[in-house]
């Protein structure tokens, strides 16, 4: 069923998985021990119901189809696996080393999306520290 959808819809599904995964992991501060697939699925469902036009455009028949949901589960697992296997860029590694050196922190990170999260956290901390010194 999933393969019968338009390429734009399939791209939107993948994008919604990635966006909601990024938001979910940020909400648990990328602490893998707090990760719960059921919590993530609930967050993704909420995201697609509120933000995804592709979901609104699906027929009720498709939305209620067991095969469709099984294929979505596979797509979710494949997308998460791809996210987690994507290594941080050299630029991200350099930036994290610099930010961690300035902040005296030492975070472990394993993928590009986690590196992005840490860069945002450390840059926000740096801005906050600059404002509190004034």
């Amino acid at each position: 069923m999933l393969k019968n959808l338009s390429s734009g819809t399939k791209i939107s599904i993948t994008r919604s998985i990635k966006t909601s995964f990024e938001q979910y992991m940020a909400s648990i501060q990328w602490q893998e021990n707090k990760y719960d697939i059921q919590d993530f699925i609930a967050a993704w469902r909420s995201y697609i119901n509120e933000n995804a036009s592709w979901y609104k455009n699906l027929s009720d028949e498709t939305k209620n189809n067991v095969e469709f949901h099984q294929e979505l589960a596979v797509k979710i697992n494949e997308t998460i696996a791809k996210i987690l296997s994507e290594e941080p860029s050299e630029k991200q590694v350099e930036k994290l080393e610099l930010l961690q050196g300035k902040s005296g922190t030492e975070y472990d990170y394993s993928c590009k999306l986690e590196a992005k999260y840490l860069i945002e956290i450390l840059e926000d901390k740096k801005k906050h520290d600059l404002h509190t010194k004034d």
Side-chain angles (χ1 to χ4, degrees):
M1 288 201 82
L2 198 55
K3 65 181 179 278
N4 295 332
L5 297 174
S6 71
S7 63
T9 299
K10 289 187 270 191
I11 290 167
S12 294
I13 289 170
T14 302
R15 192 175 307 123
S16 70
I17 295 166
K18 183 178 179 183
T19 300
S20 56
F21 184 74
E22 182 176 10
Q23 291 171 353
Y24 172 75
M25 291 306 289
S27 77
I28 62 169
Q29 300 174 326
W30 276 86
Q31 295 178 42
E32 288 93 0
N33 62 329
K34 290 186 176 182
Y35 178 80
D36 182 304
I37 186 68
Q38 297 305 322
D39 289 344
F40 166 67
I41 295 297
W44 182 68
R45 278 194 181 120
S46 176
Y47 178 86
I48 64 172
N49 282 313
E50 294 171 17
N51 302 305
S53 60
W54 68 263
Y55 189 72
K56 294 173 183 123
N57 295 333
L58 290 180
S59 69
D60 287 339
E61 179 184 344
T62 301
K63 289 178 186 177
N64 295 321
N65 187 294
V66 173
E67 181 184 346
F68 178 71
H69 286 279
Q70 290 169 338
E71 291 174 3
L72 271 179
V74 169
K75 183 67 173 170
I76 289 168
N77 289 334
E78 290 172 349
T79 303
I80 291 172
K82 184 177 178 186
I83 290 167
L84 295 176
S85 67
E86 191 173 7
E87 294 194 17
S89 68
E90 281 186 43
K91 187 175 179 179
Q92 285 178 310
V93 171
E94 289 171 11
K95 185 153 193 142
L96 277 168
E97 286 177 5
L98 178 69
L99 289 167
Q100 289 186 103
K102 290 181 177 180
S103 66
T105 58
E106 199 171 311
Y107 293 104
D108 290 326
Y109 53 95
S110 59
C111 69
K112 191 173 197 165
L113 206 55
E114 186 177 15
K116 177 184 173 202
Y117 167 77
L118 288 173
I119 289 168
E120 290 170 0
I121 293 297
L122 290 169
E123 286 179 335
D124 285 348
K125 182 182 182 326
K126 184 178 167 184
K127 287 177 192 171
H128 179 264
D129 290 349
L130 287 174
H131 290 301
T132 56
K133 285 183 179 179
D134 293 341

